[in-house]
Amino acid sequence: MRELPTRLPAGRCLREDGRMSQEKKLPSVGFIGLGAMGVPMAKRVAEAGYPLTVLDADAGRTEQVAADISASAATSAAELGKNCQIVVTMLPTSDIVSEVLFGENGLAASLAPGSIVIDMTSGSPNKTQAIASTLARSSIALCDAPVSGGVPRAKTGELAIMLGGDADTIETIRPLVSSMGTSLTVVGGIGSAHAMKALNNLVSAGGFLIGMEALLIGSRFGLSPETMVEVLNASTGMNNSTQKKFKQFVLSRKFDAGFGLDLMVKDLGIALEVASQTDTTTPFSSLCFEIWSAAKKTLGPGQDHTAVARFQELIAGSEVNND
Ligand code: NDP
């Protein structure tokens, strides 16, 4: 276990009689990035009793979320860092994590030596390793802890969490990350969890495309999409998309699973970065990336990742028939 710097928790740290309350035993936590995933995850941390300070790029959202989950609101990363022993980042990309850490009014300059940053963003392993080296010069530890399970499992605190970093740091943060997830897997040194997360999403993205192509072929043959999904889910063709996405977000035409198309394309780009770095020949992964990227370009910004089905319908020249 690492020794955390001594800092008064951001809030609720002293009782009226001036003695430290029970809550003092929990480290003070900062949470940066209050989006689709960040809000339910921060809520779990607050409910576990951690003194919590939150921050988002949108000041109004920061105030609102802080009020909703009984946390303190920060106005900058630097301000947040002054109050916290452990800081979680849940941001779109590693470049944004770097900006939050080392940019103007950045977090790194205000964290005390001995603090820990847990990057739960789905990030790039190379960038994460570079960030860790820079932070280490100020005696700040980094752990990569990306998640899987989407918004529903973020809400229930049942995320799958992959952990990369040194063993002491991971043991120190284990109770905190356990408030957000039920499956914690240590995958290796710093950056390894970000590599693993990108590979997980590569498998998930490939499963979506092939399942959707099967639905398109079957529809044109005259099969019912609902029946096809049921058969796939009872058979060896089952995957996460057949189980949790096709009926819910494609056949329903809702396309609102809560995970952005741009974020999926980013993750596939990271998986291909790792493939290139390891000199691995990956024709299927490259095609998968091309299709998702083309969907992003064709459909435009602000799309949910399940809208890739609409792009597949476009190139097939027909929709999955839901009659
Ligand atoms: P969102 O885009 O919903 O949320 C990101 C949040 O970060 C937004 O509120 C954004 O504010 C905020 N933000 C951006 N820049 C800054 C900044 N400089 N300082 C503070 N806040 C900032 O993304 P998600 O929550 O969906 O995803 C977050 C990460 O988790 C991504 O890496 C994603 O790949 C990963 N992930 C997502 C899953 C999902 O199902 N959604 C599942 C598993 C992993 P603003 O909108 O104002 O820019």
Side-chain angles (χ1 to χ4, degrees):
M1 294 277 276
R2 286 175 65 97
E3 180 127 354
L4 290 165
T6 311
R7 292 204 154 181
L8 283 180
R12 300 178 295 173
C13 55
L14 288 175
R15 293 200 314 217
E16 275 176 14
D17 61 7
R19 288 166 51 202
M20 287 303 204
S21 74
Q22 279 296 100
E23 290 170 73
K24 174 188 161 277
K25 290 180 187 153
L26 295 177
S28 50
V29 174
F31 200 108
I32 306 183
L34 303 172
M37 294 293 285
V39 170
M41 289 166 68
K43 185 163 187 266
R44 297 285 311 179
V45 172
E47 284 170 354
Y50 288 89
L52 181 67
T53 305
V54 295
L55 176 70
D56 190 73
D58 178 335
R61 170 170 270 257
T62 304
E63 291 287 342
Q64 185 61 55
V65 172
D68 290 348
I69 67 173
S70 303
S72 305
T75 54
S76 70
E79 183 197 317
L80 178 142
K82 280 183 202 148
N83 293 323
C84 298
Q85 296 162 299
I86 303 179
V87 178
V88 175
T89 47
M90 190 55 174
L91 294 160
T93 65
S94 290
D95 288 341
I96 296 177
V97 173
S98 284
E99 176 63 29
V100 164
L101 282 165
F102 307 120
E104 198 182 338
N105 266 327
L107 179 66
S110 70
L111 283 174
S115 307
I116 300 175
V117 176
I118 310 173
D119 186 17
M120 302 191 84
T121 307
S122 299
S124 149
N126 293 332
K127 290 177 183 172
T128 301
Q129 285 165 355
I131 291 170
S133 300
T134 309
L135 287 175
R137 285 186 225 131
S138 309
S139 301
I140 299 166
L142 180 69
C143 174
D144 46 327
V147 307
S148 183
V151 174
R153 281 168 64 185
K155 284 184 178 163
T156 58
E158 292 175 303
L159 289 167
I161 303 180
M162 297 148 244
L163 294 158
D166 72 77
D168 278 356
T169 306
I170 289 174
E171 285 322 301
T172 308
I173 64 164
R174 189 177 281 279
L176 172 60
V177 291
S178 297
S179 68
M180 295 176 267
T182 43
S183 161
L184 273 54
T185 308
V186 178
V187 290
I190 190 74
S192 60
H194 278 160
M196 184 62 240
K197 168 64 188 175
L199 297 176
N200 175 75
N201 278 20
L202 172 65
V203 174
S204 172
F208 189 109
L209 293 186
I210 200 72
M212 183 63 196
E213 282 191 8
L215 294 191
L216 282 163
I217 298 166
S219 282
R220 290 166 77 119
F221 185 76
L223 304 179
S224 147
E226 298 274 346
T227 304
M228 280 190 279
V229 173
E230 277 160 31
V231 173
L232 288 170
N233 283 339
S235 311
T236 53
M238 166 184 61
N239 66 30
N240 181 259
S241 295
T242 67
Q243 285 186 317
K244 300 201 172 139
K245 297 183 186 175
F246 288 161
K247 276 197 185 175
Q248 296 83 340
F249 306 112
V250 178
L251 301 188
S252 69
R253 313 306 287 179
K254 288 185 179 160
F255 304 113
D256 62 352
F259 177 47
L261 177 56
D262 55 340
L263 294 176
M264 180 64 106
V265 173
K266 176 248 325 181
D267 292 343
L268 296 175
I270 295 170
L272 286 191
E273 250 172 56
V274 178
S276 161
Q277 189 181 330
T278 52
D279 198 19
T280 313
T281 305
T282 55
F284 183 62
S285 305
S286 302
L287 179 59
C288 180
F289 174 71
E290 287 301 325
I291 295 172
W292 284 87
S293 300
K296 180 183 152 186
K297 278 186 208 136
T298 306
L299 300 175
Q303 298 287 333
D304 189 76
H305 79 289
T306 53
V308 73
R310 287 179 35 230
F311 175 74
Q312 292 185 273
E313 291 177 333
L314 201 68
I315 55 179
S318 60
E319 291 190 359
V320 280
N321 176 353
N322 199 22
D323 291 336

